[in-house]
PDB file of all heavy atoms in Angstrom:
ATOM      1  N   ARG L   1      61.286 -77.872  18.426  1.00  0.00           N
ATOM      2  CA  ARG L   1      60.555 -78.346  17.234  1.00  0.00           C
ATOM      3  C   ARG L   1      60.952 -77.541  16.009  1.00  0.00           C
ATOM      4  O   ARG L   1      61.179 -78.100  14.947  1.00  0.00           O
ATOM      5  CB  ARG L   1      59.057 -78.251  17.505  1.00  0.00           C
ATOM      6  CG  ARG L   1      58.224 -78.804  16.342  1.00  0.00           C
ATOM      7  CD  ARG L   1      56.736 -78.667  16.588  1.00  0.00           C
ATOM      8  NE  ARG L   1      56.298 -79.313  17.772  1.00  0.00           N
ATOM      9  CZ  ARG L   1      55.453 -78.753  18.648  1.00  0.00           C
ATOM     10  NH1 ARG L   1      55.000 -77.552  18.468  1.00  0.00           N
ATOM     11  NH2 ARG L   1      55.143 -79.383  19.762  1.00  0.00           N
ATOM     12  N   PHE L   2      61.022 -76.228  16.171  1.00  0.00           N
ATOM     13  CA  PHE L   2      61.394 -75.349  15.084  1.00  0.00           C
ATOM     14  C   PHE L   2      62.782 -75.684  14.548  1.00  0.00           C
ATOM     15  O   PHE L   2      62.995 -75.776  13.367  1.00  0.00           O
ATOM     16  CB  PHE L   2      61.381 -73.902  15.623  1.00  0.00           C
ATOM     17  CG  PHE L   2      61.021 -72.849  14.590  1.00  0.00           C
ATOM     18  CD1 PHE L   2      59.701 -72.561  14.326  1.00  0.00           C
ATOM     19  CD2 PHE L   2      62.024 -72.197  13.901  1.00  0.00           C
ATOM     20  CE1 PHE L   2      59.361 -71.594  13.394  1.00  0.00           C
ATOM     21  CE2 PHE L   2      61.685 -71.206  12.999  1.00  0.00           C
ATOM     22  CZ  PHE L   2      60.357 -70.929  12.703  1.00  0.00           C
ATOM     23  N   LEU L   3      63.750 -75.895  15.445  1.00  0.00           N
ATOM     24  CA  LEU L   3      65.111 -76.223  15.043  1.00  0.00           C
ATOM     25  C   LEU L   3      65.157 -77.567  14.277  1.00  0.00           C
ATOM     26  O   LEU L   3      65.836 -77.675  13.255  1.00  0.00           O
ATOM     27  CB  LEU L   3      66.024 -76.271  16.264  1.00  0.00           C
ATOM     28  CG  LEU L   3      67.491 -76.678  15.973  1.00  0.00           C
ATOM     29  CD1 LEU L   3      68.161 -75.711  15.016  1.00  0.00           C
ATOM     30  CD2 LEU L   3      68.275 -76.797  17.292  1.00  0.00           C
ATOM     31  N   LYS L   4      64.419 -78.562  14.758  1.00  0.00           N
ATOM     32  CA  LYS L   4      64.382 -79.879  14.119  1.00  0.00           C
ATOM     33  C   LYS L   4      63.855 -79.722  12.689  1.00  0.00           C
ATOM     34  O   LYS L   4      64.360 -80.310  11.740  1.00  0.00           O
ATOM     35  CB  LYS L   4      63.542 -80.858  14.869  1.00  0.00           C
ATOM     36  CG  LYS L   4      64.181 -81.394  16.111  1.00  0.00           C
ATOM     37  CD  LYS L   4      63.258 -82.346  16.831  1.00  0.00           C
ATOM     38  CE  LYS L   4      63.890 -82.844  18.125  1.00  0.00           C
ATOM     39  NZ  LYS L   4      62.941 -83.740  18.857  1.00  0.00           N
ATOM     40  N   ILE L   5      62.819 -78.917  12.521  1.00  0.00           N
ATOM     41  CA  ILE L   5      62.237 -78.737  11.207  1.00  0.00           C
ATOM     42  C   ILE L   5      63.193 -77.995  10.275  1.00  0.00           C
ATOM     43  O   ILE L   5      63.342 -78.356   9.115  1.00  0.00           O
ATOM     44  CB  ILE L   5      60.871 -78.003  11.302  1.00  0.00           C
ATOM     45  CG1 ILE L   5      59.887 -78.956  11.973  1.00  0.00           C
ATOM     46  CG2 ILE L   5      60.382 -77.540   9.942  1.00  0.00           C
ATOM     47  CD1 ILE L   5      58.600 -78.274  12.428  1.00  0.00           C
ATOM     48  N   PHE L   6      63.876 -76.994  10.839  1.00  0.00           N
ATOM     49  CA  PHE L   6      64.869 -76.302  10.026  1.00  0.00           C
ATOM     50  C   PHE L   6      65.980 -77.218   9.544  1.00  0.00           C
ATOM     51  O   PHE L   6      66.358 -77.190   8.409  1.00  0.00           O
ATOM     52  CB  PHE L   6      65.540 -75.146  10.861  1.00  0.00           C
ATOM     53  CG  PHE L   6      66.712 -74.509  10.181  1.00  0.00           C
ATOM     54  CD1 PHE L   6      66.535 -73.579   9.141  1.00  0.00           C
ATOM     55  CD2 PHE L   6      67.985 -74.879  10.560  1.00  0.00           C
ATOM     56  CE1 PHE L   6      67.634 -73.032   8.540  1.00  0.00           C
ATOM     57  CE2 PHE L   6      69.095 -74.336   9.905  1.00  0.00           C
ATOM     58  CZ  PHE L   6      68.896 -73.416   8.888  1.00  0.00           C
ATOM     59  N   MET L   7      66.482 -78.080  10.438  1.00  0.00           N
ATOM     60  CA  MET L   7      67.524 -79.018  10.105  1.00  0.00           C
ATOM     61  C   MET L   7      67.082 -79.997   8.975  1.00  0.00           C
ATOM     62  O   MET L   7      67.837 -80.353   8.108  1.00  0.00           O
ATOM     63  CB  MET L   7      67.987 -79.810  11.299  1.00  0.00           C
ATOM     64  CG  MET L   7      68.566 -78.923  12.414  1.00  0.00           C
ATOM     65  SD  MET L   7      69.990 -78.003  11.892  1.00  0.00           S
ATOM     66  CE  MET L   7      71.243 -79.234  11.922  1.00  0.00           C
ATOM     67  N   ARG L   8      65.791 -80.304   9.008  1.00  0.00           N
ATOM     68  CA  ARG L   8      65.264 -81.262   8.043  1.00  0.00           C
ATOM     69  C   ARG L   8      65.032 -80.618   6.671  1.00  0.00           C
ATOM     70  O   ARG L   8      65.243 -81.231   5.642  1.00  0.00           O
ATOM     71  CB  ARG L   8      63.927 -81.848   8.597  1.00  0.00           C
ATOM     72  CG  ARG L   8      63.425 -83.014   7.755  1.00  0.00           C
ATOM     73  CD  ARG L   8      62.238 -83.660   8.430  1.00  0.00           C
ATOM     74  NE  ARG L   8      61.140 -82.775   8.614  1.00  0.00           N
ATOM     75  CZ  ARG L   8      60.463 -82.584   9.770  1.00  0.00           C
ATOM     76  NH1 ARG L   8      60.791 -83.339  10.813  1.00  0.00           N
ATOM     77  NH2 ARG L   8      59.477 -81.732   9.849  1.00  0.00           N
ATOM     78  N   GLN L   9      64.597 -79.321   6.684  1.00  0.00           N
ATOM     79  CA  GLN L   9      64.325 -78.642   5.374  1.00  0.00           C
ATOM     80  C   GLN L   9      64.551 -77.132   5.502  1.00  0.00           C
ATOM     81  O   GLN L   9      63.625 -76.371   5.595  1.00  0.00           O
ATOM     82  CB  GLN L   9      62.900 -78.963   4.939  1.00  0.00           C
ATOM     83  CG  GLN L   9      61.861 -78.887   6.026  1.00  0.00           C
ATOM     84  CD  GLN L   9      60.527 -79.545   5.600  1.00  0.00           C
ATOM     85  OE1 GLN L   9      60.430 -79.995   4.433  1.00  0.00           O
ATOM     86  NE2 GLN L   9      59.584 -79.540   6.439  1.00  0.00           N
ATOM     87  N   PRO L  10      65.802 -76.725   5.460  1.00  0.00           N
ATOM     88  CA  PRO L  10      66.174 -75.304   5.644  1.00  0.00           C
ATOM     89  C   PRO L  10      65.669 -74.387   4.552  1.00  0.00           C
ATOM     90  O   PRO L  10      65.553 -73.184   4.808  1.00  0.00           O
ATOM     91  CB  PRO L  10      67.685 -75.331   5.684  1.00  0.00           C
ATOM     92  CG  PRO L  10      68.115 -76.606   5.007  1.00  0.00           C
ATOM     93  CD  PRO L  10      66.993 -77.570   5.247  1.00  0.00           C
ATOM     94  N   LYS L  11      65.349 -74.855   3.376  1.00  0.00           N
ATOM     95  CA  LYS L  11      64.843 -73.981   2.324  1.00  0.00           C
ATOM     96  C   LYS L  11      63.364 -73.632   2.545  1.00  0.00           C
ATOM     97  O   LYS L  11      62.850 -72.660   1.996  1.00  0.00           O
ATOM     98  CB  LYS L  11      65.052 -74.571   0.933  1.00  0.00           C
ATOM     99  CG  LYS L  11      66.482 -74.490   0.495  1.00  0.00           C
ATOM    100  CD  LYS L  11      66.587 -74.843  -0.940  1.00  0.00           C
ATOM    101  CE  LYS L  11      68.049 -74.590  -1.371  1.00  0.00           C
ATOM    102  NZ  LYS L  11      68.192 -74.755  -2.809  1.00  0.00           N
ATOM    103  N   ILE L  12      62.668 -74.458   3.280  1.00  0.00           N
ATOM    104  CA  ILE L  12      61.246 -74.219   3.530  1.00  0.00           C
ATOM    105  C   ILE L  12      61.083 -73.418   4.852  1.00  0.00           C
ATOM    106  O   ILE L  12      60.287 -72.527   4.931  1.00  0.00           O
ATOM    107  CB  ILE L  12      60.463 -75.547   3.596  1.00  0.00           C
ATOM    108  CG1 ILE L  12      60.461 -76.187   2.187  1.00  0.00           C
ATOM    109  CG2 ILE L  12      59.032 -75.334   4.111  1.00  0.00           C
ATOM    110  CD1 ILE L  12      59.903 -77.549   2.116  1.00  0.00           C
ATOM    111  N   ASN L  13      61.822 -73.786   5.828  1.00  0.00           N
ATOM    112  CA  ASN L  13      61.793 -73.088   7.130  1.00  0.00           C
ATOM    113  C   ASN L  13      63.115 -72.358   7.271  1.00  0.00           C
ATOM    114  O   ASN L  13      64.113 -72.948   7.648  1.00  0.00           O
ATOM    115  CB  ASN L  13      61.587 -74.080   8.253  1.00  0.00           C
ATOM    116  CG  ASN L  13      61.159 -73.396   9.555  1.00  0.00           C
ATOM    117  OD1 ASN L  13      60.509 -72.353   9.512  1.00  0.00           O
ATOM    118  ND2 ASN L  13      61.519 -73.987  10.671  1.00  0.00           N
ATOM    119  N   ALA L  14      63.123 -71.090   6.919  1.00  0.00           N
ATOM    120  CA  ALA L  14      64.380 -70.350   6.742  1.00  0.00           C
ATOM    121  C   ALA L  14      65.087 -69.902   8.058  1.00  0.00           C
ATOM    122  O   ALA L  14      66.061 -69.200   7.978  1.00  0.00           O
ATOM    123  CB  ALA L  14      64.109 -69.141   5.852  1.00  0.00           C
ATOM    124  N   SER L  15      64.560 -70.253   9.169  1.00  0.00           N
ATOM    125  CA  SER L  15      65.185 -69.837  10.422  1.00  0.00           C
ATOM    126  C   SER L  15      65.311 -71.040  11.357  1.00  0.00           C
ATOM    127  O   SER L  15      64.541 -71.951  11.334  1.00  0.00           O
ATOM    128  CB  SER L  15      64.327 -68.758  11.128  1.00  0.00           C
ATOM    129  OG  SER L  15      64.927 -68.335  12.327  1.00  0.00           O
ATOM    130  N   MET L  16      66.371 -70.953  12.213  1.00  0.00           N
ATOM    131  CA  MET L  16      66.576 -72.038  13.177  1.00  0.00           C
ATOM    132  C   MET L  16      65.705 -71.880  14.430  1.00  0.00           C
ATOM    133  O   MET L  16      65.504 -72.877  15.142  1.00  0.00           O
ATOM    134  CB  MET L  16      68.028 -72.096  13.597  1.00  0.00           C
ATOM    135  CG  MET L  16      68.951 -72.457  12.464  1.00  0.00           C
ATOM    136  SD  MET L  16      70.710 -72.730  12.965  1.00  0.00           S
ATOM    137  CE  MET L  16      71.138 -71.123  13.595  1.00  0.00           C
ATOM    138  N   ILE L  17      65.246 -70.697  14.713  1.00  0.00           N
ATOM    139  CA  ILE L  17      64.457 -70.454  15.903  1.00  0.00           C
ATOM    140  C   ILE L  17      63.288 -69.526  15.553  1.00  0.00           C
ATOM    141  O   ILE L  17      63.379 -68.780  14.585  1.00  0.00           O
ATOM    142  CB  ILE L  17      65.261 -69.862  17.090  1.00  0.00           C
ATOM    143  CG1 ILE L  17      65.844 -68.503  16.677  1.00  0.00           C
ATOM    144  CG2 ILE L  17      66.329 -70.809  17.562  1.00  0.00           C
ATOM    145  CD1 ILE L  17      66.524 -67.757  17.833  1.00  0.00           C
ATOM    146  N   PRO L  18      62.179 -69.607  16.335  1.00  0.00           N
ATOM    147  CA  PRO L  18      61.062 -68.684  16.048  1.00  0.00           C
ATOM    148  C   PRO L  18      61.453 -67.218  16.216  1.00  0.00           C
ATOM    149  O   PRO L  18      62.399 -66.901  16.951  1.00  0.00           O
ATOM    150  CB  PRO L  18      60.009 -69.083  17.063  1.00  0.00           C
ATOM    151  CG  PRO L  18      60.398 -70.463  17.543  1.00  0.00           C
ATOM    152  CD  PRO L  18      61.881 -70.532  17.397  1.00  0.00           C
ATOM    153  N   SER L  19      60.761 -66.333  15.552  1.00  0.00           N
ATOM    154  CA  SER L  19      60.992 -64.911  15.656  1.00  0.00           C
ATOM    155  C   SER L  19      60.681 -64.450  17.090  1.00  0.00           C
ATOM    156  O   SER L  19      59.931 -65.056  17.804  1.00  0.00           O
ATOM    157  CB  SER L  19      60.100 -64.144  14.691  1.00  0.00           C
ATOM    158  OG  SER L  19      60.397 -64.515  13.383  1.00  0.00           O
ATOM    159  N   SER L  20      61.250 -63.302  17.449  1.00  0.00           N
ATOM    160  CA  SER L  20      61.011 -62.723  18.773  1.00  0.00           C
ATOM    161  C   SER L  20      59.696 -61.988  18.833  1.00  0.00           C
ATOM    162  O   SER L  20      59.065 -61.650  17.829  1.00  0.00           O
ATOM    163  CB  SER L  20      62.159 -61.745  19.114  1.00  0.00           C
ATOM    164  OG  SER L  20      62.080 -60.602  18.274  1.00  0.00           O
ATOM    165  N   LYS L  21      59.247 -61.688  20.058  1.00  0.00           N
ATOM    166  CA  LYS L  21      58.051 -60.881  20.241  1.00  0.00           C
ATOM    167  C   LYS L  21      58.219 -59.485  19.668  1.00  0.00           C
ATOM    168  O   LYS L  21      57.314 -58.883  19.145  1.00  0.00           O
ATOM    169  CB  LYS L  21      57.674 -60.819  21.753  1.00  0.00           C
ATOM    170  CG  LYS L  21      57.151 -62.115  22.258  1.00  0.00           C
ATOM    171  CD  LYS L  21      56.798 -62.026  23.735  1.00  0.00           C
ATOM    172  CE  LYS L  21      56.369 -63.376  24.223  1.00  0.00           C
ATOM    173  NZ  LYS L  21      56.039 -63.407  25.645  1.00  0.00           N
ATOM    174  N   ARG L  22      59.430 -58.932  19.770  1.00  0.00           N
ATOM    175  CA  ARG L  22      59.722 -57.610  19.179  1.00  0.00           C
ATOM    176  C   ARG L  22      59.583 -57.699  17.649  1.00  0.00           C
ATOM    177  O   ARG L  22      59.111 -56.700  17.052  1.00  0.00           O
ATOM    178  CB  ARG L  22      61.096 -57.123  19.575  1.00  0.00           C
ATOM    179  CG  ARG L  22      61.157 -56.687  21.023  1.00  0.00           C
ATOM    180  CD  ARG L  22      62.485 -56.045  21.332  1.00  0.00           C
ATOM    181  NE  ARG L  22      62.563 -55.811  22.757  1.00  0.00           N
ATOM    182  CZ  ARG L  22      63.536 -55.137  23.319  1.00  0.00           C
ATOM    183  NH1 ARG L  22      64.508 -54.675  22.567  1.00  0.00           N
ATOM    184  NH2 ARG L  22      63.528 -54.979  24.637  1.00  0.00           N
ATOM    185  N   ALA L  23      60.008 -58.744  17.079  1.00  0.00           N
ATOM    186  CA  ALA L  23      59.871 -58.912  15.628  1.00  0.00           C
ATOM    187  C   ALA L  23      58.403 -58.996  15.240  1.00  0.00           C
ATOM    188  O   ALA L  23      57.965 -58.355  14.283  1.00  0.00           O
ATOM    189  CB  ALA L  23      60.573 -60.131  15.147  1.00  0.00           C
ATOM    190  N   ALA L  24      57.621 -59.719  16.012  1.00  0.00           N
ATOM    191  CA  ALA L  24      56.180 -59.799  15.788  1.00  0.00           C
ATOM    192  C   ALA L  24      55.526 -58.459  15.881  1.00  0.00           C
ATOM    193  O   ALA L  24      54.655 -58.071  15.047  1.00  0.00           O
ATOM    194  CB  ALA L  24      55.522 -60.795  16.740  1.00  0.00           C
ATOM    195  N   GLN L  25      55.902 -57.688  16.891  1.00  0.00           N
ATOM    196  CA  GLN L  25      55.362 -56.330  17.038  1.00  0.00           C
ATOM    197  C   GLN L  25      55.744 -55.445  15.861  1.00  0.00           C
ATOM    198  O   GLN L  25      54.960 -54.671  15.323  1.00  0.00           O
ATOM    199  CB  GLN L  25      55.803 -55.716  18.334  1.00  0.00           C
ATOM    200  CG  GLN L  25      55.121 -54.389  18.652  1.00  0.00           C
ATOM    201  CD  GLN L  25      53.621 -54.460  18.739  1.00  0.00           C
ATOM    202  OE1 GLN L  25      53.074 -55.282  19.483  1.00  0.00           O
ATOM    203  NE2 GLN L  25      52.955 -53.666  17.971  1.00  0.00           N
ATOM    204  N   GLY L  26      56.963 -55.604  15.387  1.00  0.00           N
ATOM    205  CA  GLY L  26      57.471 -54.836  14.250  1.00  0.00           C
ATOM    206  C   GLY L  26      56.650 -55.154  12.981  1.00  0.00           C
ATOM    207  O   GLY L  26      56.471 -54.286  12.135  1.00  0.00           O
ATOM    208  N   MET L  27      56.192 -56.361  12.865  1.00  0.00           N
ATOM    209  CA  MET L  27      55.400 -56.722  11.673  1.00  0.00           C
ATOM    210  C   MET L  27      54.055 -55.985  11.582  1.00  0.00           C
ATOM    211  O   MET L  27      53.531 -55.830  10.499  1.00  0.00           O
ATOM    212  CB  MET L  27      55.118 -58.250  11.688  1.00  0.00           C
ATOM    213  CG  MET L  27      56.346 -59.100  11.357  1.00  0.00           C
ATOM    214  SD  MET L  27      56.887 -58.977   9.658  1.00  0.00           S
ATOM    215  CE  MET L  27      55.847 -60.180   8.862  1.00  0.00           C
ATOM    216  N   VAL L  28      53.542 -55.537  12.729  1.00  0.00           N
ATOM    217  CA  VAL L  28      52.229 -54.900  12.712  1.00  0.00           C
ATOM    218  C   VAL L  28      52.282 -53.375  13.099  1.00  0.00           C
ATOM    219  O   VAL L  28      51.270 -52.718  13.090  1.00  0.00           O
ATOM    220  CB  VAL L  28      51.200 -55.608  13.606  1.00  0.00           C
ATOM    221  CG1 VAL L  28      50.989 -57.039  13.121  1.00  0.00           C
ATOM    222  CG2 VAL L  28      51.623 -55.592  15.053  1.00  0.00           C
ATOM    223  N   ASN L  29      53.517 -52.875  13.359  1.00  0.00           N
ATOM    224  CA  ASN L  29      53.622 -51.462  13.722  1.00  0.00           C
ATOM    225  C   ASN L  29      53.045 -50.585  12.657  1.00  0.00           C
ATOM    226  O   ASN L  29      53.261 -50.770  11.484  1.00  0.00           O
ATOM    227  CB  ASN L  29      55.083 -51.043  13.926  1.00  0.00           C
ATOM    228  CG  ASN L  29      55.608 -51.430  15.302  1.00  0.00           C
ATOM    229  OD1 ASN L  29      54.841 -51.779  16.194  1.00  0.00           O
ATOM    230  ND2 ASN L  29      56.912 -51.334  15.490  1.00  0.00           N
ATOM    231  N   GLY L  30      52.201 -49.644  13.094  1.00  0.00           N
ATOM    232  CA  GLY L  30      51.614 -48.647  12.191  1.00  0.00           C
ATOM    233  C   GLY L  30      50.343 -49.128  11.511  1.00  0.00           C
ATOM    234  O   GLY L  30      49.701 -48.376  10.736  1.00  0.00           O
ATOM    235  N   LEU L  31      49.907 -50.362  11.746  1.00  0.00           N
ATOM    236  CA  LEU L  31      48.706 -50.873  11.153  1.00  0.00           C
ATOM    237  C   LEU L  31      47.508 -50.706  12.122  1.00  0.00           C
ATOM    238  O   LEU L  31      47.686 -50.873  13.319  1.00  0.00           O
ATOM    239  CB  LEU L  31      48.844 -52.350  10.806  1.00  0.00           C
ATOM    240  CG  LEU L  31      49.909 -52.710   9.838  1.00  0.00           C
ATOM    241  CD1 LEU L  31      50.014 -54.256   9.670  1.00  0.00           C
ATOM    242  CD2 LEU L  31      49.667 -52.074   8.457  1.00  0.00           C
ATOM    243  N   ASP L  32      46.334 -50.419  11.594  1.00  0.00           N
ATOM    244  CA  ASP L  32      45.133 -50.313  12.424  1.00  0.00           C
ATOM    245  C   ASP L  32      44.471 -51.703  12.453  1.00  0.00           C
ATOM    246  O   ASP L  32      43.547 -51.978  11.702  1.00  0.00           O
ATOM    247  CB  ASP L  32      44.202 -49.272  11.859  1.00  0.00           C
ATOM    248  CG  ASP L  32      42.976 -49.063  12.708  1.00  0.00           C
ATOM    249  OD1 ASP L  32      42.886 -49.647  13.816  1.00  0.00           O
ATOM    250  OD2 ASP L  32      42.069 -48.309  12.253  1.00  0.00           O
ATOM    251  N   LEU L  33      44.980 -52.557  13.294  1.00  0.00           N
ATOM    252  CA  LEU L  33      44.459 -53.926  13.380  1.00  0.00           C
ATOM    253  C   LEU L  33      43.006 -53.967  13.779  1.00  0.00           C
ATOM    254  O   LEU L  33      42.214 -54.854  13.399  1.00  0.00           O
ATOM    255  CB  LEU L  33      45.309 -54.737  14.335  1.00  0.00           C
ATOM    256  CG  LEU L  33      46.726 -55.022  13.890  1.00  0.00           C
ATOM    257  CD1 LEU L  33      47.489 -55.817  14.949  1.00  0.00           C
ATOM    258  CD2 LEU L  33      46.821 -55.709  12.550  1.00  0.00           C
ATOM    259  N   LYS L  34      42.532 -53.016  14.576  1.00  0.00           N
ATOM    260  CA  LYS L  34      41.166 -52.985  15.067  1.00  0.00           C
ATOM    261  C   LYS L  34      40.144 -52.800  13.914  1.00  0.00           C
ATOM    262  O   LYS L  34      38.985 -53.125  14.047  1.00  0.00           O
ATOM    263  CB  LYS L  34      40.958 -51.911  16.079  1.00  0.00           C
ATOM    264  CG  LYS L  34      41.753 -52.078  17.370  1.00  0.00           C
ATOM    265  CD  LYS L  34      41.204 -53.241  18.171  1.00  0.00           C
ATOM    266  CE  LYS L  34      41.966 -53.351  19.500  1.00  0.00           C
ATOM    267  NZ  LYS L  34      41.780 -54.675  20.089  1.00  0.00           N
ATOM    268  N   ALA L  35      40.593 -52.291  12.769  1.00  0.00           N
ATOM    269  CA  ALA L  35      39.718 -52.057  11.652  1.00  0.00           C
ATOM    270  C   ALA L  35      39.659 -53.201  10.653  1.00  0.00           C
ATOM    271  O   ALA L  35      38.910 -53.162   9.656  1.00  0.00           O
ATOM    272  CB  ALA L  35      40.154 -50.774  10.916  1.00  0.00           C
ATOM    273  N   MET L  36      40.447 -54.247  10.886  1.00  0.00           N
ATOM    274  CA  MET L  36      40.561 -55.317   9.905  1.00  0.00           C
ATOM    275  C   MET L  36      39.419 -56.339  10.030  1.00  0.00           C
ATOM    276  O   MET L  36      38.963 -56.667  11.077  1.00  0.00           O
ATOM    277  CB  MET L  36      41.909 -55.970  10.064  1.00  0.00           C
ATOM    278  CG  MET L  36      42.987 -54.995   9.776  1.00  0.00           C
ATOM    279  SD  MET L  36      44.561 -55.714   9.390  1.00  0.00           S
ATOM    280  CE  MET L  36      45.471 -54.208   8.997  1.00  0.00           C
ATOM    281  N   LYS L  37      39.054 -56.881   8.837  1.00  0.00           N
ATOM    282  CA  LYS L  37      37.963 -57.847   8.712  1.00  0.00           C
ATOM    283  C   LYS L  37      38.486 -59.232   8.295  1.00  0.00           C
ATOM    284  O   LYS L  37      37.885 -60.242   8.617  1.00  0.00           O
ATOM    285  CB  LYS L  37      36.907 -57.389   7.771  1.00  0.00           C
ATOM    286  CG  LYS L  37      36.242 -56.081   8.208  1.00  0.00           C
ATOM    287  CD  LYS L  37      35.410 -56.278   9.420  1.00  0.00           C
ATOM    288  CE  LYS L  37      34.727 -54.988   9.854  1.00  0.00           C
ATOM    289  NZ  LYS L  37      34.357 -55.007  11.239  1.00  0.00           N
ATOM    290  N   TYR L  38      39.546 -59.230   7.473  1.00  0.00           N
ATOM    291  CA  TYR L  38      40.093 -60.511   7.031  1.00  0.00           C
ATOM    292  C   TYR L  38      41.632 -60.404   6.872  1.00  0.00           C
ATOM    293  O   TYR L  38      42.110 -59.507   6.197  1.00  0.00           O
ATOM    294  CB  TYR L  38      39.494 -60.919   5.675  1.00  0.00           C
ATOM    295  CG  TYR L  38      39.563 -62.420   5.421  1.00  0.00           C
ATOM    296  CD1 TYR L  38      38.511 -63.257   5.804  1.00  0.00           C
ATOM    297  CD2 TYR L  38      40.699 -62.974   4.864  1.00  0.00           C
ATOM    298  CE1 TYR L  38      38.615 -64.631   5.591  1.00  0.00           C
ATOM    299  CE2 TYR L  38      40.783 -64.351   4.642  1.00  0.00           C
ATOM    300  CZ  TYR L  38      39.749 -65.162   5.017  1.00  0.00           C
ATOM    301  OH  TYR L  38      39.842 -66.534   4.849  1.00  0.00           O
ATOM    302  N   VAL L  39      42.333 -61.368   7.481  1.00  0.00           N
ATOM    303  CA  VAL L  39      43.786 -61.373   7.516  1.00  0.00           C
ATOM    304  C   VAL L  39      44.251 -62.762   7.093  1.00  0.00           C
ATOM    305  O   VAL L  39      43.610 -63.766   7.489  1.00  0.00           O
ATOM    306  CB  VAL L  39      44.310 -61.004   8.935  1.00  0.00           C
ATOM    307  CG1 VAL L  39      45.829 -61.173   9.021  1.00  0.00           C
ATOM    308  CG2 VAL L  39      43.907 -59.590   9.302  1.00  0.00           C
ATOM    309  N   VAL L  40      45.361 -62.803   6.382  1.00  0.00           N
ATOM    310  CA  VAL L  40      45.983 -64.108   6.012  1.00  0.00           C
ATOM    311  C   VAL L  40      47.411 -64.099   6.589  1.00  0.00           C
ATOM    312  O   VAL L  40      48.079 -63.103   6.439  1.00  0.00           O
ATOM    313  CB  VAL L  40      46.054 -64.300   4.497  1.00  0.00           C
ATOM    314  CG1 VAL L  40      46.824 -65.525   4.126  1.00  0.00           C
ATOM    315  CG2 VAL L  40      44.635 -64.326   3.911  1.00  0.00           C
ATOM    316  N   GLU L  41      47.784 -65.195   7.211  1.00  0.00           N
ATOM    317  CA  GLU L  41      49.184 -65.349   7.640  1.00  0.00           C
ATOM    318  C   GLU L  41      49.750 -66.570   6.938  1.00  0.00           C
ATOM    319  O   GLU L  41      49.221 -67.679   7.023  1.00  0.00           O
ATOM    320  CB  GLU L  41      49.320 -65.527   9.151  1.00  0.00           C
ATOM    321  CG  GLU L  41      50.761 -65.584   9.576  1.00  0.00           C
ATOM    322  CD  GLU L  41      50.998 -65.673  11.070  1.00  0.00           C
ATOM    323  OE1 GLU L  41      50.002 -65.656  11.848  1.00  0.00           O
ATOM    324  OE2 GLU L  41      52.190 -65.735  11.462  1.00  0.00           O
ATOM    325  N   LEU L  42      50.821 -66.353   6.169  1.00  0.00           N
ATOM    326  CA  LEU L  42      51.500 -67.410   5.453  1.00  0.00           C
ATOM    327  C   LEU L  42      52.691 -67.899   6.287  1.00  0.00           C
ATOM    328  O   LEU L  42      53.581 -67.128   6.613  1.00  0.00           O
ATOM    329  CB  LEU L  42      52.022 -66.844   4.105  1.00  0.00           C
ATOM    330  CG  LEU L  42      50.995 -66.207   3.202  1.00  0.00           C
ATOM    331  CD1 LEU L  42      51.636 -65.545   2.012  1.00  0.00           C
ATOM    332  CD2 LEU L  42      49.929 -67.220   2.780  1.00  0.00           C
TER     333      LEU L  42
END
């Protein structure tokens, strides 16, 4: 599904495949997620 969307509109969806679990972990490394009350994901 991700690849199809990329092929249709590459400027909106900038990758051909979803990010890896390691990438997701890298996005939150060093953050105290347990203390958070409101988060936004774009």
Side-chain angles (χ1 to χ4, degrees):
R1 182 181 304 134
F2 210 86
L3 178 61
K4 285 180 182 177
I5 291 167
F6 170 79
M7 298 300 284
R8 191 172 59 229
Q9 42 194 0
K11 285 191 174 187
I12 293 173
N13 195 30
S15 180
M16 294 188 298
I17 60 172
S19 299
S20 69
K21 289 180 183 177
R22 286 187 188 188
Q25 187 59 53
M27 287 289 276
V28 299
N29 277 349
L31 299 175
D32 183 6
L33 293 178
K34 296 290 184 200
M36 299 200 175
K37 299 292 181 200
Y38 203 92
V39 173
V40 174
E41 185 176 359
L42 304 173

